[in-house]
């Protein structure tokens, strides 16, 4: 190898590692965690990084270059039907994109309810989501982020979790808390891509509902996790994108949430594409949605 190239490659590797950092959500005891022999699983036979049975929830922070830092942040919640996480497709790929716009981007590796290592399974994803945004606010000064400009972006079931955070941010749970747990958990804005919103029959994604609530949830539980019923004037401004031909998560989820936002006079923008299916991520060479990130970037600039 060319000797002149070695220092350059070392610099690139050093810059990459210094521009990212991984932090556990919790110091010491992890809420709702129980002792088990279960281990985290990362699939090696897929085209994406797929993670199940998360044992230690983390955030992976992608820092923009200092010169172009806009002092805003977005937490990313990958989807996976509340069974696993499409960690790169709906996490790391978007973190890199957001960095180009000047955002600090945070990929949240949250615990999913399909696990033997947790109790009160349905509560755990939101507990982790609340902690993640509070942890970002706790580090805002260090990371040069405005504490009033921290949003969330969720995909599919991760969109349900992001929307749940945006509508249930004040919900409290019993576990040993620290100073970080006293911070505001409300996102300042939301971007939801092909999200699961509702838990209602005929609208929901059955796999996500079964994994989160079980196969025989009560009506009260179904309604509480149907975020179209939980919107209020305090729900953050929201950007929504979906495809009419989505065969996994009905476009009705996005339509119901958009209407609820309008009824509560919450700023909202919605884009429905004819073709693109489900799980299109950045949308490169997929149906009609190839340039949706351009529209999303424009909305982010406006908001």
């Amino acid at each position: 190898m060319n000797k002149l190239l070695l220092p350059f490659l070392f610099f690139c590797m050093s810059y990459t590692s210094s521009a990212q950092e991984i932090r556990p959500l919790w110091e010491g005891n992890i809420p709702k965690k129980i002792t088990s022999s279960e281990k985290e699983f990362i699939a090696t036979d897929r085209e994406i990084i797929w993670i199940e049975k998360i044992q230690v929830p983390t955030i992976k922070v992608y820092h923009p270059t200092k010169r172009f830092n806009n002092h805003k942040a977005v937490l990313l919640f990958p989807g996976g039907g509340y069974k696993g996480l499409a960690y790169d497709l709906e996490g790391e790929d978007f973190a890199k994109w957001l960095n180009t716009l000047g955002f600090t981007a945070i990929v949240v590796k949250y615990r999913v309810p399909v696990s033997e290592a947790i109790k009160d399974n349905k509560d755990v994803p939101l507990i982790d989501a609340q902690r993640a945004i509070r942890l970002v606010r706790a580090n805002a000064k260090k990371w040069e982020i405005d504490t009033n400009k921290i949003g969330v972006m969720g995909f599919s079931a991760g969109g349900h979790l992001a929307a749940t955070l945006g509508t249930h941010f004040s919900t409290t749970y019993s576990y040993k808390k620290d100073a970080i747990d006293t911070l505001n958990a409300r996102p300042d804005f939301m971007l939801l891509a092909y999200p699961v919103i509702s838990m209602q029959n005929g609208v929901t994604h059955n796999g996500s509902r079964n994994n989160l609530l079980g196969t025989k949830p009560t009506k009260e539980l179904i309604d509480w996790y149907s975020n179209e019923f939980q919107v209020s004037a305090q729900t953050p401004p929201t950007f929504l994108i979906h495809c009419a031909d989505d065969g996994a998560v009905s476009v009705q989820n996005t339509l119901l949430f958009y209407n609820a936002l309008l009824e509560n006079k919450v700023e909202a923008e919605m884009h429905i594409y004819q073709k693109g299916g489900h799980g299109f991520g950045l949308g490169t060479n997929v149906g009609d949605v190839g340039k949706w990130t351009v529209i999303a970037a424009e909305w982010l600039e406006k908001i």
Side-chain angles (χ1 to χ4, degrees), residues 163-239:
T164 304
L165 181 60
T167 54
H168 298 73
F169 50 84
S170 60
T171 298
T172 59
Y173 297 95
S174 61
Y175 58 86
K176 186 176 181 180
K177 296 179 171 63
D178 59 25
I180 292 174
D181 294 309
T182 66
L183 298 177
N184 179 17
R186 178 186 178 274
D188 295 301
F189 54 89
M190 299 193 295
L191 295 92
L192 307 177
Y194 41 91
V196 179
I197 292 293
S198 182
M199 293 285 119
Q200 302 295 316
N201 290 330
V203 181
T204 191
H205 175 248
N206 290 324
S208 295
R209 188 175 88 167
N210 291 344
N211 289 334
L212 182 64
L213 305 182
T215 56
K216 295 181 179 179
T218 64
K219 183 180 185 302
E220 181 182 20
L221 203 57
I222 289 171
D223 289 350
W224 197 86
Y225 280 99
S226 292
N227 289 315
E228 72 272 26
F229 297 149
Q230 308 303 328
V231 174
S232 71
Q234 286 71 50
T235 302
T238 303
F239 177 96

Side-chain angles (χ1 to χ4, degrees), residues 46-64:
R46 300 192 181 200
E47 293 181 345
I48 63 171
I49 297 173
W50 174 260
I51 308 176
E52 295 182 11
K53 301 177 177 21
I54 292 89
Q55 301 298 302
V56 179
T58 64
I59 55 172
K60 186 173 184 180
V61 186
Y62 285 73
H63 299 284

Side-chain angles (χ1 to χ4, degrees), residues 49-52 54 78-80 83-87 108-110 112:
I49 297 173
W50 174 260
I51 308 176
E52 295 182 11
I54 292 89
K83 181 183 180 183
L85 305 180
Y87 191 75
V108 185
K109 189 167 78 169
Y110 59 92
V112 292

